């Protein structure tokens, strides 16, 4: 596993507040359908695996789980925790436990980076539609909304190969607990945006989220003890359906495109 990337964007809302509502997705798909179907080459941009250990307060299925910059405002890391001192303690715990847990996984894991595994499965799914696909590793996109244009004076975080349309992936894998009395559960997010060949306009995008009930760990020490098992469980959930779902929702399932590459 590569070093932890600390600039993690606010990415998950369990209450159904995804990047695109189903209505907006359908509207964008209809608007850009012809351009999307004309794409013959896709360049998937992904960032290396990371895992986060977080703790929020009052974390129920209808609450927002915020994973903010680990070195930024502590309020996003300790959402709902009362008092500045407790917020700072929660933020400190996130950094310390993330580093410790990630190191434990790194020392024990011999399997492929889970983000790369996800990207490879998505690559195969898109190739089955008749398109040429390549994978490119980049630093984790830091923007709040994936695919946003860079601020004035800033360069984009990726360079598109000629003849390819970029598909940006951003995945977040965490173990989170509502508070000290609640179990740690996986928190999984997969975001994507498909852009035009110049990489300056979003054609389609969506966010997939999951907070499975299992595996559950009664405490952080228990989670740490089973670091490798926890990672494998999260990986299995992450790549089980979403790559195929992304490919199908964007391009469909038939090999209707003959590549000119």
């Amino acid at each position: 596993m590569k070093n932890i990337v600390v600039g993690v964007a606010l990415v998950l809302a369990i209450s159904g507040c995804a990047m695109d509502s189903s209505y907006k997705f359908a509207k964008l798909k209809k608007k850009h359908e012809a351009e999307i179907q004309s794409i013959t080459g896709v360049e998937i941009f992904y960032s290396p695996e990371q895992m986060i250990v977080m703790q929020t307060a009052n974390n129920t299925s209808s609450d927002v789980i915020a994973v903010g910059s680990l070195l930024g405002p502590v309020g996003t890391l300790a959402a709902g925790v009362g008092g500045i001192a407790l917020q700072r303690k929660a933020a400190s715990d996130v950094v310390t436990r993330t580093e410790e847990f990630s190191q434990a996984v790194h020392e024990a894991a011999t399997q492929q980076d889970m983000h790369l595994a996800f990207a490879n499965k998505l690559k195969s799914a898109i190739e089955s539609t008749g398109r040429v696909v390549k994978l490119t590793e980049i630093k984790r996109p830091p923007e709040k909304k994936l695919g946003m244009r860079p601020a004035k004076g800033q360069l984009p975080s990726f360079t598109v190969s000629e003849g390819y349309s970029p598909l940006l992936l951003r995945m977040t894998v965490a173990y989170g607990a509502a508070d000290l009395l609640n179990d740690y559960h996986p928190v999984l997010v997969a975001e994507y945006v498909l852009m035009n060949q110049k990489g300056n306009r979003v054609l389609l995008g969506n966010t997939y989220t999951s907070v499975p009930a299992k595996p559950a760990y009664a405490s952080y020490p228990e989670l740490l003890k089973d670091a490798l098992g926890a990672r494998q469980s999260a990986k299995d959930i992450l790549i089980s359906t979403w790559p195929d779902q992304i490919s199908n929702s964007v391009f469909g399932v038939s090999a209707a495109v003959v590549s000119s590459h």
Side-chain angles (χ1 to χ4, degrees):
M1 182 187 300
K2 303 294 179 63
N3 292 334
I4 302 167
V5 179
V6 297
V8 183
L10 175 63
V11 291
L12 176 57
I14 300 304
S15 60
C17 182
M19 186 185 78
D20 293 327
S21 66
S22 57
Y23 170 78
K24 187 175 181 180
F25 179 90
K27 187 176 180 180
L28 280 173
K29 183 69 180 293
K30 183 177 180 179
K31 179 180 180 180
H32 300 299
E33 180 70 22
E35 187 172 357
I36 291 171
Q37 290 305 319
S38 71
I39 291 172
T40 59
V42 178
E43 186 167 7
I44 297 174
F45 292 89
Y46 73 98
S47 53
E49 177 181 329
Q50 62 183 41
M51 295 193 76
I52 299 166
V53 179
M54 63 184 183
Q55 185 171 297
T56 59
N58 304 318
N59 169 20
T60 67
S61 60
S62 62
D63 288 330
V64 173
I65 299 175
V67 181
S69 170
L70 296 183
L71 300 181
V74 296
T76 59
L77 292 166
V81 176
I84 296 299
L86 286 177
Q87 289 182 357
R88 288 176 177 169
K89 176 64 166 59
S92 176
D93 284 348
V94 167
V95 174
T96 300
R97 291 179 175 182
T98 292
E99 291 175 347
E100 184 179 35
F101 183 76
S102 295
Q103 182 62 31
V105 170
H106 175 72
E107 291 175 352
T110 58
Q111 299 174 335
Q112 186 182 50
D113 180 299
M114 73 170 75
H115 291 188
L116 177 56
F118 186 103
N120 270 316
K121 188 171 182 182
L122 178 58
K123 177 177 182 290
S124 296
I126 296 176
E127 285 175 338
S128 72
T129 70
R131 294 168 172 86
V132 173
V133 185
K134 65 182 297 185
L135 301 182
T136 302
E137 180 183 310
I138 59 171
K139 292 183 179 180
R140 182 183 177 90
E143 57 265 24
K144 182 176 179 179
K145 185 175 180 180
L146 193 61
M148 288 178 63
R149 293 183 180 180
K152 187 176 181 180
Q154 293 183 346
L155 296 174
S157 58
F158 60 94
T159 302
V160 189
S161 300
E162 185 176 355
Y164 289 82
S165 295
L167 194 156
L168 275 65
L169 289 178
R170 183 166 61 190
M171 286 158 281
T172 300
V173 180
Y175 272 87
D179 51 47
L180 293 174
L181 300 179
N182 279 271
D183 293 344
Y184 283 86
H185 295 275
V187 179
L188 308 169
V189 188
E191 303 169 88
Y192 79 87
V193 294
L194 176 69
M195 308 182 79
N196 64 344
Q197 283 195 10
K198 293 182 179 180
N200 59 8
R201 180 165 52 88
V202 172
L203 301 178
L204 198 61
N206 215 336
T207 299
Y208 299 91
T209 65
S210 179
V211 184
K214 294 181 179 181
Y217 298 90
S219 65
Y220 170 69
E222 184 178 317
L223 170 64
L224 182 63
K225 186 177 180 179
D226 188 36
L228 191 57
R231 174 194 181 269
Q232 185 60 47
S233 296
K235 179 181 178 181
D236 291 344
I237 298 168
L238 181 69
I239 67 175
S240 60
T241 58
W242 288 342
D244 290 332
Q245 193 170 347
I246 291 172
S247 177
N248 291 344
S249 65
V250 177
F251 296 113
V253 296
S254 63
V257 176
V258 178
S259 173
S260 60
H261 287 257

